[in-house]
Amino acid sequence: MIAVSIGRTRHKMVVAEHRALAERGAELVELRLDWLSRQPDLTRLLKERPTPVIATCRRQIDRGRWRGSEPQRQTLLREAIVAGVEYVDLEGDIAGQIPRYGKTKRIVSHHDFDETPRNLEAIHARLADKDADIVKLVTMANSPGDGVRMLELVAEAEVPTIGFCMGELGIPSRILCGRYGAPFTYATFTRERVLAPGQLTFDEMRTLYRYDSITKDTQLFGVLGDPIGHSLSPLVHNAAFSHEKLDAVYVPIRVPPDALAATLDEFGRLGFRGYSVTIPHKEAVLERFGRPDDPAWEIGAANTLYLDGEGEWQVMNTDYEAALDSIRLGLDPDDEGELEGKKALVLGAGGAARAVVLGLVRNGVQVTIANRRGERAAKLAEQFRCKQVQWENRTTVHADILVNCTPLGMHPNVDDTPFDKNAFLEDMLVFDMVYNPESTLLLKEARERGCRTVSGIEMFVRQGAVQFERFTARDAPLDAMRAALRKGISPVRDGSS
Ligand code: NAP
């Protein structure tokens, strides 16, 4: 179950939000009484309440907003119990002063906004000792492993325990605590009113992560990277799991640069079976798990780590296959996917360019590379035995296929383009790896000149689809993944593809 926190300054808004949440399917609401600007009127808040509630009134030392005195606060909590709220939240240090009464269940809580202490078990035992129906332990994650320790505590606790970590590093524990036995997690009504660091919205918890269907049998996947907040992979993979009715969830895992090895061990203890891997860990996973015959070695980076049927970790670079498939998608049907003998101009010489150049060269395409920093293009051209041209001279190349592997044109710089619109050749296939927006200026101008075009959406979906297939040994639902990605990208789209 998801408890949705309402923190509003006006009673009227609390009541309206409560009603709206109930209409949207919320089953439990936390009323943050400390947010109200006037003395809380419990009768008004509780009369005809559309869902069960948790009454919470946080002190300022616990990052709450209560401005009255402590005796007044405790009186309010007692009044809430007498009024029959379903749950009351009592901080561990005052829980002993407020006796059990009626049917109200006691959540005995402790928050630590600085760290996840080593002695979690001792803190938990102290809270459980305060006549707790539920223990709530919420701490700041300073490493990905903090959330794992918390989930392990939840799993072993004898008293029902809600335990998760705050902050971006703690997000997996918010999503997964139910899997380890937490009676509920917390979410916020909207992104504009996040009441604690790292809190997700009710819609994200329910629709994106399908919190209520996560059980101890749910298979675990995620994306490892730093930063990770803007990753669209959770949208795409969870949509695929949902579409295929698979009991699996995919979470964002922020892993600071020096924390990869420890995180893999810690999340391994939870039973994670596969990861997408992004900056800055693409090289490190390859070095740790790569095999010499993998194309990922030639690219120098892996974006996927998964357990194979034998229980062995394997790495892969799915950009390679995805880029090739995207280019084939845009070829003239008369070509029947044949790339041999074609000429390609690749703009950029970063990680994505390396994957596409390798794929093209291996399929008999004559590749020319142009990069802003010429020395990088020269190095790549030498490694893959192809040509190089100065960035300034890129429009002079006669190519059948143009591939943009630079971020030029990406949101918010949507008026940028890496190529001169007068230099497109009529039968050119133009493939832009940028996927946000879907219809970049490069692609719009290419279409105006009669070129065939493929957007970065196709590659993003395909690299995710190959990962999905490795994770689940099933065909990926491309259409569902594409639709989820389109929904997730910025609204700067014009609808064309
Ligand atoms: P990267 O390793 O950081 O490489 C970036 C490349 O873009 C470099 O060659 C860089 O040139 C060039 N560049 C950056 N800013 C430029 C500018 N203002 N003018 C000209 N060139 C510029 O990044 P990456 O991983 O290869 O990714 C490149 C792009 O592809 C990104 O937009 C990424 O989102 C996109 N991508 C899409 C997918 C997909 O699935 N659709 C997959 C992977 C990547 P210098 O060497 O001179 O710095």
Side-chain angles (χ1 to χ4, degrees):
M1 188 158 54
I2 305 164
V4 192
S5 304
I6 300 181
R8 300 299 301 252
T9 53
R10 294 169 59 201
H11 287 75
K12 190 174 155 191
M13 295 315 294
V14 175
V15 171
E17 216 163 85
H18 196 169
R19 211 173 294 131
L21 275 167
E23 276 164 20
R24 282 161 54 181
E27 296 171 280
L28 179 61
V29 159
E30 179 188 45
L31 299 176
R32 284 289 301 266
L33 303 173
D34 52 304
W35 272 62
L36 288 161
S37 53
R38 290 172 44 200
Q39 176 63 21
D41 178 346
L42 290 173
T43 311
R44 191 166 165 204
L45 296 176
L46 299 176
K47 190 179 59 168
E48 294 170 17
R49 58 186 178 277
T51 73
V53 297
I54 305 165
T56 301
C57 187
R58 283 271 176 267
R59 305 171 287 204
Q60 293 187 26
I61 50 162
D62 293 318
R63 308 267 169 110
R65 295 189 168 196
W66 179 250
R67 293 187 191 284
S69 70
E70 180 57 16
Q72 285 168 335
R73 190 179 78 97
Q74 292 188 21
T75 300
L76 179 65
L77 290 168
R78 284 196 188 89
E79 284 169 0
I81 296 170
V82 171
V85 292
E86 286 73 14
Y87 298 90
V88 64
D89 185 310
L90 304 170
E91 296 81 7
D93 58 314
I94 61 112
Q97 297 164 42
I98 298 188
R100 177 180 290 278
Y101 176 78
K103 289 191 180 157
T104 300
K105 291 210 163 101
R106 295 160 58 87
I107 301 173
V108 180
S109 67
H110 176 79
H111 292 72
D112 187 326
F113 284 85
D114 296 320
E115 59 167 356
T116 300
R118 303 290 343 152
N119 62 338
L120 277 183
E121 287 76 12
I123 298 170
H124 184 274
R126 277 205 298 276
L127 300 175
D129 213 28
K130 295 279 162 47
D131 190 17
D133 293 298
I134 294 173
V135 167
K136 181 186 181 201
L137 193 42
V138 180
T139 60
M140 181 59 75
N142 293 320
S143 75
D146 282 344
V148 174
R149 280 198 294 124
M150 183 63 89
L151 293 177
E152 288 173 336
L153 175 97
V154 171
E156 277 160 28
E158 281 171 18
V159 179
T161 297
I162 300 161
F164 54 77
C165 289
M166 292 180 281
E168 204 183 12
L169 290 160
I171 285 177
S173 63
R174 286 184 181 273
I175 299 167
L176 297 177
C177 63
R179 186 181 195 270
Y180 298 90
F184 43 88
T185 192
Y186 287 69
T188 179
F189 182 48
T190 65
R191 187 142 289 299
E192 291 72 49
R193 275 192 291 282
V194 168
L195 304 191
Q199 208 173 30
L200 300 174
T201 66
F202 177 50
D203 276 347
E204 285 170 327
M205 272 290 185
R206 194 175 52 155
T207 315
L208 172 57
Y209 295 109
R210 295 181 294 149
Y211 178 88
D212 285 324
S213 63
I214 297 174
T215 69
K216 64 181 181 16
D217 299 322
T218 302
Q219 295 205 338
L220 303 176
F221 302 93
V223 50
L224 308 170
D226 188 13
I228 206 68
H230 295 293
S231 173
L232 293 168
S233 293
L235 266 181
V236 170
H237 281 278
N238 285 312
F241 292 150
S242 170
H243 186 271
E244 294 299 293
K245 301 193 170 44
L246 287 176
D247 187 8
V249 65
Y250 180 105
V251 300
I253 308 168
R254 189 181 140 215
V255 184
D258 56 353
L260 180 68
T263 305
L264 288 174
D265 291 345
E266 287 150 351
F267 279 69
R269 292 208 304 266
L270 295 179
F272 271 71
R273 308 186 52 78
Y275 306 95
S276 309
V277 183
T278 182
I279 292 165
H281 302 300
K282 288 179 161 195
E283 291 78 18
V285 290
L286 179 67
E287 275 159 31
R288 182 158 166 192
F289 298 101
R291 305 234 154 92
D293 54 348
D294 197 310
W297 272 116
E298 276 191 83
I299 299 163
N303 70 347
T304 310
L305 177 64
Y306 65 99
L307 274 180
D308 68 12
E310 320 277 291
E312 297 280 328
W313 286 105
Q314 303 287 350
V315 293
M316 219 186 149
N317 190 316
T318 65
D319 281 345
Y320 168 85
E321 213 171 310
L324 272 181
D325 284 353
S326 303
I327 291 169
R328 288 205 176 93
L329 185 75
L331 289 178
D332 190 313
D334 290 346
D335 288 336
E336 295 177 349
E338 186 53 61
L339 288 164
E340 178 92 38
K342 295 206 178 295
K343 294 189 179 121
L345 171 61
V346 173
L347 305 177
R354 295 178 70 81
V356 80
V357 169
L358 177 68
L360 290 171
V361 167
R362 282 197 172 173
N363 282 275
V365 177
Q366 297 171 40
V367 177
T368 303
I369 304 164
N371 192 50
R372 181 177 59 176
R373 281 186 284 159
E375 68 278 11
R376 263 183 113 185
K379 215 167 145 203
L380 193 55
E382 190 189 342
Q383 184 188 351
F384 293 116
R385 298 213 176 90
C386 43
K387 291 189 205 154
Q388 177 222 343
V389 65
Q390 291 302 313
W391 180 247
E392 296 71 29
N393 297 335
R394 61 196 183 282
T395 52
T396 61
V397 177
H398 224 80
D400 307 300
I401 304 166
L402 173 70
V403 186
N404 176 37
C405 308
T406 78
L408 287 169
M410 188 163 83
H411 179 78
N413 303 314
V414 294
D415 294 329
D416 287 351
T417 175
F419 206 66
D420 181 349
K421 64 178 175 192
N422 297 313
F424 290 115
L425 303 177
E426 214 173 89
D427 291 330
M428 224 179 198
L429 160 61
V430 180
F431 168 40
D432 196 345
M433 282 203 186
V434 172
Y435 53 85
N436 185 11
E438 178 170 2
S439 191
T440 58
L441 184 57
L442 175 74
L443 295 187
K444 281 184 205 160
E445 291 182 342
R447 278 193 293 269
E448 278 162 25
R449 306 291 289 200
C451 302
R452 306 175 69 82
T453 59
V454 178
S455 104
I457 290 254
E458 293 304 331
M459 175 166 167
F460 192 92
V461 165
R462 280 171 170 72
Q463 60 80 29
V466 179
Q467 292 178 338
F468 178 92
E469 285 162 12
R470 297 298 164 129
F471 292 164
T472 65
R474 284 187 181 222
D475 290 342
L478 273 182
D479 289 343
M481 295 172 90
R482 193 183 293 106
L485 179 61
R486 282 192 172 130
K487 237 169 113 181
I489 63 175
S490 117
V492 190
R493 288 199 293 118
D494 66 5
S496 47
S497 58

